[in-house]
Amino acid sequence: MTQPVRRIIHIDMDAFYASVEQRDNPALRGRPVAVGRSQERGVVAAASYEARPFGVRSAMPSLLAQRRCPQLVFVPPRFEVYRAVSAQIHAIFARYTPLIQPLSLDEAYLDITQPLIRRASATAIAQEIRAAILAETGLTASAGISYNKFLAKLASDHNKPNGQFVIPPGAGQDFVAPLPVSAFHGIGPATARRMNALGIQTGADLRAFPPETLRQHFGKAAAFYHGIAHGEDTRPVEPDRPRKSLGKETTFDQDLIHDHDLNEALQILAEKVWAGCEKRGLSGRTITLKLRHADFSQLTRSLSRQTPVRDQSELLQAGLHLLRPLLPLQKSVRLLGITVSSLCDPQAASGAEQLSLLPSA
């Protein structure tokens, strides 16, 4: 029996955090707004559409954003509000399908191949969802509609803000061909640079690249890259996708150079990460330490255990085990982070004999 063509919608809220702030404070409407802190080490969490013509973008240092747009208004983030609005939006999604895969508070995939509410087309469902979001939250959303997740994600960026776009069956390969690989969801900046060095600039270049050579350079990921270059993506919408990691990081107001300061910072982070693990009833076998230096160079170190971390003390000791070989510091540190991955039920560690820490490959 022939499987029906999948109908996937990618919903992406327009400048979500900034739009919530403009909705709740009429004085901000029509003005360039950045959600974040304007302090020296602040980072822009979101920028309104009025700020974007100045080159202000999310993840940009606040000082740089302010230089680019002197009239930029900074507002502190209110994540509890964003989470509440996100829950409203997801309740709207649930009227149409149980197959919802959140990517973040402001975007999600929906599989409406067999919708709960029948409509003439996926386009009509996307229009109805966007209208409901506007009516119930006062916010606009953009949508991409296609036959797989990769193309739906590309399509949602095609007509922003407050628009939608369809890539119908059979049109994916031609749509992808002229696009730069740096615009592909699933190909990060570092991978895009590696592809560019191999002469792969666009989707058409990626499609023409020999699969075996692609595998030599990119390993298992080559099959996915080869597929999306042809407009193909078999990944399902995963409504109950398990969490892969829990972590915390902090950017310091002043660079750290002394060992004891870094140790203290790591202790605070380990405490926060373990609180998150306990809240979710999770632990993990892999611990990763991240340091970013003042010159923005970055390094990570990981170790894997045969048993999951059992408590906050074990997590801290694992972090210190990774940190010690890096001391004394040769360069000051502006950011420190620690993450637990290979998550599992911590009861798996109950009664288990503690094993030595083994550096991961």
Side-chain angles (χ1 to χ4, degrees):
M1 183 176 177
T2 303
Q3 292 294 320
V5 175
R6 289 194 300 163
R7 299 192 296 170
I8 310 296
I9 299 174
H10 178 255
I11 298 287
D12 192 2
M13 299 301 297
D14 298 323
F16 182 52
Y17 298 169
S19 295
V20 170
E21 298 302 334
Q22 290 177 314
R23 180 198 68 176
D24 294 349
N25 183 354
L28 297 176
R29 294 173 191 170
R31 302 177 67 184
V33 172
V35 176
R37 308 284 180 180
S38 60
Q39 61 212 38
E40 182 179 353
R41 289 301 174 82
V43 175
V44 174
S48 70
Y49 279 96
E50 295 86 353
R52 296 185 184 188
F54 297 90
V56 178
R57 296 288 186 272
S58 61
M60 174 180 287
S62 297
L63 290 182
L64 175 57
Q66 210 155 29
R67 283 198 297 271
R68 290 188 174 182
C69 182
Q71 63 269 47
L72 190 64
V73 180
F74 280 90
V75 293
R78 299 181 298 153
F79 289 106
E80 71 286 354
V81 175
Y82 310 147
R83 283 191 286 268
V85 177
S86 180
Q88 280 184 276
I89 294 165
H90 281 257
I92 294 171
F93 297 160
R95 299 171 196 168
Y96 296 87
T97 178
L99 299 178
I100 304 163
Q101 180 181 334
L103 299 182
S104 60
L105 292 178
D106 62 341
E107 61 177 318
Y109 291 113
L110 286 66
D111 187 328
I112 48 94
T113 308
Q114 296 180 319
L116 299 175
I117 299 177
R118 294 291 175 182
R119 292 294 181 266
S121 65
T123 298
I125 290 176
Q127 289 172 333
E128 197 168 305
I129 288 173
R130 291 175 49 242
I133 291 172
L134 180 60
E136 297 177 33
T137 71
L139 302 171
T140 64
S142 296
I145 306 103
S146 196
Y147 54 95
N148 63 47
K149 288 165 65 173
F150 173 72
L151 293 173
K153 172 80 171 173
L154 284 181
S156 67
D157 283 334
H158 198 71
N159 201 16
K160 287 181 75 73
N162 195 25
Q164 62 184 58
F165 188 78
V166 181
I167 303 175
Q173 183 169 288
D174 289 341
F175 184 85
V176 165
L179 299 179
V181 292
S182 58
F184 289 4
H185 182 62
I187 295 181
T191 301
R193 287 193 294 270
R194 289 174 61 196
M195 287 185 175
N196 293 166
L198 293 169
I200 303 172
Q201 303 292 330
T202 67
D205 296 334
L206 182 56
R207 186 169 72 237
F209 206 77
E212 185 56 41
T213 309
L214 198 66
R215 193 176 303 111
Q216 290 171 7
H217 287 279
F218 299 102
K220 294 180 180 179
F224 173 72
Y225 300 151
H226 181 74
I228 60 177
H230 289 78
E232 299 169 358
D233 178 10
T234 60
R235 295 173 301 161
V237 171
E238 301 175 290
D240 297 314
R241 186 172 55 170
R243 191 174 187 123
K244 294 183 178 180
S245 64
L246 284 164
K248 289 286 183 183
E249 60 184 42
T250 184
T251 301
F252 305 114
D253 291 333
Q254 293 184 327
D255 296 340
L256 300 189
I257 192 64
H258 298 296
D259 298 357
H260 62 85
D261 290 334
L262 213 54
N263 287 334
E264 288 180 8
L266 183 60
Q267 183 173 348
I268 294 170
L269 287 172
E271 182 178 338
K272 291 180 178 179
V273 171
W274 188 251
C277 289
E278 288 190 320
K279 180 180 177 180
R280 294 168 177 82
L282 293 171
S283 184
R285 295 184 175 87
T286 300
I287 299 90
T288 301
L289 184 77
K290 179 168 86 171
L291 273 77
R292 183 175 299 152
H293 298 293
D295 61 4
F296 283 86
S297 62
Q298 183 171 297
L299 58 83
T300 59
R301 296 290 184 270
S302 296
L303 61 84
S304 293
R305 302 159 45 99
Q306 293 183 343
T307 58
V309 174
R310 293 184 292 188
D311 54 34
Q312 180 182 319
S313 176
E314 279 194 6
L315 176 59
L316 176 60
Q317 290 306 311
L320 291 171
H321 178 83
L322 293 168
L323 180 62
R324 287 189 193 104
L326 308 177
L327 303 177
L329 293 170
Q330 303 301 309
K331 294 187 287 188
S332 59
V333 173
R334 76 184 310 269
L335 177 146
L336 178 68
I338 186 170
T339 300
V340 179
S341 56
S342 302
L343 297 179
C344 59
D345 183 345
Q347 295 303 315
S350 296
E353 182 181 355
Q354 183 176 353
L355 301 176
S356 61
L357 300 174
L358 303 173
S360 61

